[in-house]
Amino acid sequence: MPTSADIAADWLLSGLELRSTLFHVGRYCGAYRASTAGHQRASFHLILEGACWLHLPERPGRPQRSVRLGAGDAVFLLHDMPHCLTPEPNAPAAAEYATRIGTMSPLNAEPTDGDGLALACGFFEFRSDLGDALNALLPDYIVVRHDDVRFAGARTLFDLIRAETARNGDSPSPLINRLTDVLFFYALRAVASADDFAPGLWSVMQRAEFAPLVNAIIERPGDDWSTHAMAAFCHMSRARFCKQFAESCGQPPAQFLAILRMKVAAEMLRRGASMLNAAEHVGYQSESAFAQAFKRVTGLLPGACRRAHPRHPSAAVH
């Protein structure tokens, strides 16, 4: 059965708008250094056959990393960041990450040395109701392992992707883009449920003392959720509540409350609710104050969010 944390995480992820595009599908043989960096876009690599090493250079606060990827694995790079794929476990020099080596041949070409790498690479764009607030809480990259129990449902997706890449024709199947979208959602859900993903929204949801509060705010966002009221709901003193909440989430309770409220408001606006109705539903009596808070959290004005989704006539919130 899904836990309260799983349900809340799915609710937060429900506002994502995602679009994947396939960049290339093919095979590398011999020496190669492949990368999708430098395009100012998030990207992905799906290992269809063979194995390789993902190298990430050193950056402030993080040492250089090399991760082995095998058939059935995938990596999603959530930002445009320096990286490369090579057949060797040793990382290249920092100045060499941007230098591509090798040529990708068609996928139906047989590997000449038995160590070829079949690869599908592409880019994706995703936007959330929470804007930069969500992006800031996500890791730089997510590795999806084919044998990880958290991704059990994704194995069928990967098999479908591999079957689509094997289809004859000069152009890859457009279904690969849609299947990759779903695979990325699986990856995000796994990250949302990971015990080691902290601080962040989901670390709060996984705390037994805080999960009921999160669900109560989602159900009744317009209630008077002052810091004192939230502490009382959790049966804690105000000082203890603020300390433990901030340690778990990485942000104060008031900021977390604003994120949840604006998520609810964004869903209402997408379904056609007026700005006044959305503002009152999440606890704001002033449209101007609501508009400022909405833009601060989502990066958009309420009117822009509503105009971007004119297809939903109902303003109901579930």
Side-chain angles (χ1 to χ4, degrees):
M1 294 292 293
T3 65
S4 295
D6 293 332
I7 294 171
D10 283 351
W11 176 79
L12 280 170
L13 295 177
S14 66
L16 284 181
E17 296 181 12
L18 183 67
R19 183 177 65 185
S20 299
T21 55
L22 199 63
F23 181 49
H24 55 208
V25 177
R27 188 184 302 277
Y28 283 104
C29 297
Y32 60 86
R33 188 182 302 139
S35 178
T36 48
H39 292 270
Q40 306 302 312
R41 302 170 69 184
S43 62
F44 63 87
H45 301 282
L46 309 178
I47 312 303
L48 304 174
E49 299 173 16
C52 66
W53 287 83
L54 166 69
H55 301 291
L56 301 164
E58 181 181 4
R59 55 175 292 179
R62 190 192 71 192
Q64 186 276 330
R65 293 180 181 175
S66 294
V67 181
R68 189 180 187 277
L69 302 175
D73 294 343
V75 57
F76 293 91
L77 300 144
L78 275 62
H79 315 280
D80 183 15
M81 53 189 292
H83 71 280
C84 65
L85 302 178
T86 77
E88 301 295 333
N90 298 322
E96 296 177 348
Y97 273 81
T99 304
R100 311 292 197 270
I101 296 175
T103 301
M104 178 173 278
S105 57
L107 193 61
N108 57 10
E110 292 296 328
T112 57
D113 54 7
D115 294 323
L117 174 72
L119 190 67
C121 305
F123 301 101
F124 62 96
E125 301 174 3
F126 66 98
R127 187 178 69 181
S128 168
D129 296 332
L130 306 183
D132 293 338
L134 178 63
N135 293 348
L137 293 168
L138 293 173
D140 288 338
Y141 66 98
I142 302 172
V143 173
V144 179
R145 296 291 187 186
H146 70 282
D147 56 355
D148 190 329
V149 295
R150 296 179 300 165
F151 302 113
R155 294 173 193 163
T156 300
L157 286 171
F158 189 87
D159 290 340
L160 290 171
I161 292 173
R162 185 153 44 187
E164 287 298 315
T165 61
R167 288 167 58 94
N168 294 327
D170 296 331
S171 299
S173 166
L175 290 180
I176 296 176
N177 296 339
R178 304 288 74 81
L179 293 170
T180 303
D181 291 350
V182 182
L183 186 62
F184 179 60
F185 273 104
Y186 267 96
L188 282 182
R189 178 187 285 176
V191 169
S193 303
D195 293 334
D196 58 353
F197 180 47
L201 296 176
W202 296 281
S203 61
V204 172
M205 297 171 190
Q206 290 178 314
R207 294 278 295 269
E209 61 270 43
F210 295 142
L213 172 65
V214 173
N215 289 323
I217 294 173
I218 291 172
E219 292 176 2
R220 305 187 306 276
D223 284 8
D224 180 18
W225 293 111
S226 64
T227 303
H228 178 77
M230 287 189 283
F233 187 96
C234 295
H235 306 289
M236 296 182 182
S237 69
R238 187 180 186 280
R240 180 185 171 208
F241 170 74
C242 289
K243 181 177 183 295
Q244 292 194 10
F245 194 97
E247 288 176 350
S248 177
C249 184
Q251 56 188 315
Q255 184 175 342
F256 181 84
L257 172 66
I259 289 175
L260 293 188
R261 280 177 162 171
M262 295 310 112
K263 174 70 167 71
V264 172
E267 288 186 347
M268 293 185 65
L269 293 168
R270 284 204 311 270
R271 294 183 174 119
S274 69
M275 185 167 70
L276 177 60
N277 287 341
E280 291 180 344
H281 185 77
V282 297
Y284 286 80
Q285 301 305 314
S286 165
E287 288 188 59
S288 61
F290 167 72
Q292 292 175 10
F294 191 88
K295 188 174 191 303
R296 184 166 58 250
V297 172
T298 69
L300 296 172
L301 288 171
C305 179
R306 193 168 185 269
R307 288 192 298 272
H309 300 84
R311 62 186 181 277
H312 298 291
S314 171
V317 174
H318 303 284

